[in-house]
Amino acid sequence: MSGKNIKKNNDDLMEKIVSLCKRRGFVFPGSEIYGGLGGAYDWGHFGVALKNNIKQNWWKKFVESRPDMYGVDAAILMRQEVWQASGHVAGFADPMVECEKCKKKFRADQLEDKKKCAECGGKLGTVVQFNMMFQTKVGASGDSSAISYLRPETAQGMFVNFKNTVDAFHPKLPFGMAQIGKAFRNEITPRDFLFRQREFEQMEIEYFVRQENWEEHFEYWKGEMLDWMEEVGLDMAKVHELEVSKEDRAHYSSRTVDFEFDYPFGKKELFGLAYRTNFDLKAHKLDYLDEERSEKIIPHVIEPTFGVDRAVLAVLLSAYCEDEKDGEIRSFLKLKPNIAPVICAVSPLLKNKPELVEYANTKVYAPLKTEFGRVAWDDNGNIGKRYRRQDEIGTPFCIVIDFDTLTDDSVTVRDRDTGKQERIKVVDLKKYIKEKIS
Ligand code: ATP
């Protein structure tokens, strides 16, 4: 079905996305059966697939396809000295204010009325700095030397492995380190679904350069970030660059550009690009021997940072479409084939015809499943219902095995976006799909 595109930017888009995510097994509220835990979400089968595809795409572009990038997967728990040196113990805080009447807490910098509680109208108290790191104790001793933190950014896991990486690989400047992993922030007011959580994932790069070249690298990485956003299917008309003012920059940054996205709840940060100077390496007392020039320097750092969860949310918001044909509305996710959780669904036209089921299973489903993994078997309900179901989770192709297949060894491949159907030879299916993914 290819009909008139309607209502893509409706006001209840967030509700539709949240509901689709739960109903179709992408994302569930954390600890839901015990009443939920604010700022924590659990990922279901299709959500994990979508998230993994986005992460793999990122890793391929920024690590595997480059000669100058070194991957890291550091421990989440690190010694407290790491966070003291990095400035997070002293300064990783948001301004917090409490209502004197209902005791509700707010991010002071996000309030329109700084004096009156938005919930009960009570008087707001004085603003205090609230450190967002989750503190924990490592080991049984329980004294202050056992204090550790769940990392609030993946970046430090790379800086503390700078020397190890240089010693192991002897990279020449400029070069980068990259990491994908969990980060934790005790946000005062988690909100807006995946946008502001207390546990989330980051994909970060620390790119080490000579100080005199930082501006050129900064511009280069801006372009790379935009390219990647386009590659995973973000609606680029909704992406905006913001030059972050000095007062709003993180303590380590001398220049920051935020990439903002037009979410249904406003224009807000999606990803960021920071010039961290040599703040972190200096703080950890690390340096680099440039053998060609026989000099020791402390390289400067350009940091492109991507939130995985905000990427997933922006991809879903960009992909969500509704169209209408013959009075019927269908909703579908126009996900790129390389990102979609399921690349194709295989259906025997009728599930009570053993010859169709047998053919579909052995000659189509099994070989495609072995090749691509992301292949679904769908024989529930009539074909129209199966198409709707697959459209909703963004499956680009539905393959139907009918009675003609038994004689001509061809199947019908139906395109999610246009509704157009093509007859493809079974022997050509793998090639056909490979071309679509690439
Ligand atoms: P914000 O201003 O929205 O709090 P930030 O500037 O503190 O974000 P960074 O420290 O630059 O964010 O973190 C890097 C990336 O991690 C962000 O661009 C975003 O994609 C993601 N991120 C940060 N905080 C959260 C969160 N609470 N939930 C989900 N993703 C987050």
Side-chain angles (χ1 to χ4, degrees):
M1 165 162 110
S2 162
K4 205 162 48 110
N5 210 340
I6 54 163
K7 297 201 287 187
K8 182 156 174 175
N9 291 315
N10 41 15
D11 296 338
D12 52 359
L13 184 55
M14 262 324 268
E15 269 168 50
K16 286 180 174 171
I17 294 286
V18 175
S19 142
L20 189 155
C21 281
K22 172 137 198 275
R23 200 163 21 87
R24 300 308 315 277
F26 283 76
V27 183
F28 311 118
S31 310
E32 191 182 17
I33 61 168
Y34 288 101
L37 176 67
Y41 285 90
D42 298 336
W43 293 76
H45 185 67
F46 291 141
V48 177
L50 176 63
K51 190 157 77 145
N52 280 345
N53 294 341
I54 289 176
K55 290 194 284 185
Q56 273 162 18
N57 187 290
W58 187 92
W59 193 258
K60 209 168 179 178
K61 176 174 171 63
F62 294 120
V63 183
E64 287 176 1
S65 70
R66 302 179 59 109
D68 60 347
M69 199 64 78
Y70 299 87
V72 176
D73 187 2
I76 287 172
L77 291 175
M78 293 195 276
R79 287 184 65 110
Q80 55 178 296
E81 287 85 345
V82 173
W83 303 107
Q84 281 156 3
S86 69
H88 284 78
V89 171
F92 193 64
D94 272 344
M96 183 179 74
V97 67
E98 189 182 74
C99 170
E100 289 178 357
K101 196 165 148 206
C102 72
K103 306 290 174 206
K104 203 163 169 150
K105 296 178 172 63
F106 301 94
R107 268 270 299 263
D109 56 335
Q110 290 176 345
L111 293 175
E112 271 175 35
D113 188 334
K114 310 260 183 229
K115 298 213 164 80
K116 214 157 68 177
C117 173
E119 296 282 319
C120 73
K123 187 167 170 276
L124 295 178
T126 43
V127 175
V128 293
Q129 289 301 316
F130 174 74
N131 193 300
M132 290 199 290
M133 286 200 294
F134 283 98
Q135 204 186 85
T136 186
K137 295 252 169 96
V138 176
S141 82
D143 63 25
S144 64
S145 68
I147 289 175
S148 182
Y149 304 90
L150 301 186
R151 67 180 179 205
E153 58 170 29
T154 57
Q156 296 307 321
M158 289 182 272
F159 293 125
V160 299
N161 282 291
F162 176 80
K163 186 174 181 316
N164 288 333
T165 301
V166 170
D167 289 349
F169 305 104
H170 310 288
K172 302 255 169 301
L173 286 176
F175 71 91
M177 294 171 72
Q179 176 165 226
I180 300 179
K182 289 262 184 181
F184 303 82
R185 295 181 188 179
N186 200 359
E187 298 277 357
I188 299 162
T189 42
R191 60 166 76 174
D192 299 320
F193 192 38
L194 303 175
F195 177 80
R196 190 168 300 286
Q197 300 171 77
R198 290 183 170 130
E199 174 175 343
F200 55 97
E201 252 180 302
Q202 292 182 320
M203 306 181 280
E204 293 196 303
I205 293 166
E206 308 305 329
Y207 200 72
F208 301 98
V209 303
R210 296 189 75 92
Q211 180 175 11
E212 59 270 27
N213 302 331
W214 79 266
E215 274 164 314
E216 156 201 334
H217 288 290
F218 196 92
E219 287 310 309
Y220 166 81
W221 279 104
K222 215 199 281 181
E224 287 292 284
M225 292 182 82
L226 287 164
D227 282 354
W228 185 77
M229 291 180 220
E230 200 163 358
E231 211 170 298
V232 290
L234 291 196
D235 180 348
M236 296 309 285
K238 292 193 170 156
V239 175
H240 311 279
E241 278 176 40
L242 172 81
E243 187 70 49
V244 179
S245 67
K246 191 164 186 268
E247 306 77 63
D248 289 338
R249 287 200 294 260
H251 62 275
Y252 48 72
S253 175
S254 277
R255 185 182 172 199
T256 299
V257 167
D258 279 351
F259 292 98
E260 296 191 311
F261 188 79
D262 292 321
Y263 301 95
F265 44 86
K267 187 162 85 162
K268 302 233 160 88
E269 178 172 336
L270 174 62
F271 307 137
L273 176 64
Y275 169 40
R276 283 181 92 123
T277 68
N278 59 3
F279 177 90
D280 301 273
L281 291 186
K282 210 151 93 184
H284 295 306
K285 301 187 173 50
L286 294 165
D287 55 22
Y288 172 86
L289 175 66
D290 187 332
E291 283 169 4
E292 275 162 21
R293 300 192 193 191
S294 303
E295 60 172 336
K296 260 196 179 165
I297 59 166
I298 305 175
H300 281 230
V301 172
I302 306 296
E303 180 192 65
T305 171
F306 305 70
V308 176
D309 311 71
R310 287 189 193 176
V312 172
L313 180 57
V315 163
L316 287 172
L317 289 165
S318 301
Y320 186 85
C321 295
E322 289 179 356
D323 66 7
E324 185 183 351
K325 199 174 173 210
D326 305 329
E328 199 195 328
I329 293 176
R330 77 162 174 149
S331 53
F332 61 110
L333 291 178
K334 217 170 172 170
L335 295 170
K336 289 207 168 180
N338 60 343
I339 294 299
V342 175
I343 175 118
C344 62
V346 176
S347 282
L349 182 66
L350 298 169
K351 72 170 173 186
N352 57 0
K353 295 285 172 196
E355 63 276 35
L356 292 183
V357 174
E358 165 79 7
Y359 191 107
N361 195 5
T362 58
K363 299 204 171 152
V364 182
Y365 176 73
L368 290 181
K369 185 85 179 154
T370 308
E371 179 77 24
F372 300 109
R374 295 185 281 137
V375 177
W377 174 264
D378 195 351
D379 62 3
N380 229 334
N382 65 39
I383 286 291
K385 284 215 178 93
R386 295 179 206 171
Y387 286 162
R388 295 301 156 275
R389 232 185 352 253
Q390 295 300 327
D391 287 344
E392 225 190 3
I393 60 162
T395 307
F397 310 106
C398 286
I399 299 170
V400 177
I401 289 83
D402 56 26
F403 290 102
D404 289 340
T405 311
L406 303 179
T407 52
D408 68 3
D409 287 312
S410 295
V411 289
T412 300
V413 179
R414 179 254 190 192
D415 181 284
R416 174 198 65 203
D417 303 338
T418 61
K420 288 215 178 83
Q421 306 195 353
E422 275 186 84
R423 276 310 268 187
I424 305 282
K425 284 271 177 211
V426 171
V427 287
D428 295 333
L429 268 176
K430 280 186 190 170
K431 192 168 144 253
Y432 176 88
I433 290 172
K434 268 189 191 151
E435 276 170 18
K436 298 283 182 187
I437 307 182
S438 66

